Amino acid sequence: MTEPSGDLAGERADAVRNRARLLEAAAWLVAERGAEHVTMHEVAQVAGVFSTMRASGR
C-alpha cells in the first residue's frame, strides 16, 4: 500500500484546506490588530471554519 498524497500522509483534504484558511485568516488578523487583540473564535469566523473550542474553566 502506498502513502496518500497531500500535505500530511493520511490527512483528510478538508483538514488540509481548513488549516490553510485558518493560517491565512490568523496572519491577516494579527497583521491588522496585533496578536494580543485576536481571538481563536475570530480567526475561525474569518476563515469560515466552524469552531468547537470552548472554555475549559481551568
Side-chain angles (χ1 to χ4, degrees), residues 16-32:
V16 173
R17 183 178 56 250
N18 287 345
R19 179 181 301 108
R21 291 170 71 179
L22 286 164
L23 290 172
E24 184 178 330
W28 181 78
L29 286 167
V30 168
E32 289 290 313

Side-chain angles (χ1 to χ4, degrees), residues 7-20:
D7 288 358
L8 298 174
E11 190 168 33
R12 294 181 353 207
D14 60 330
V16 173
R17 183 178 56 250
N18 287 345
R19 179 181 301 108

Side-chain angles (χ1 to χ4, degrees), residues 2-3 5-6 9-10 13 15 18-20 24 26-27 29-30 32-33 36-38 40 45-46 50 52 54-55 57:
T2 61
E3 290 292 318
S5 62
N18 287 345
R19 179 181 301 108
E24 184 178 330
L29 286 167
V30 168
E32 289 290 313
R33 302 184 198 165
E36 63 278 0
H37 300 290
V38 176
M40 290 301 296
Q45 281 186 312
V46 169
F50 178 72
T52 59
R54 300 188 195 279

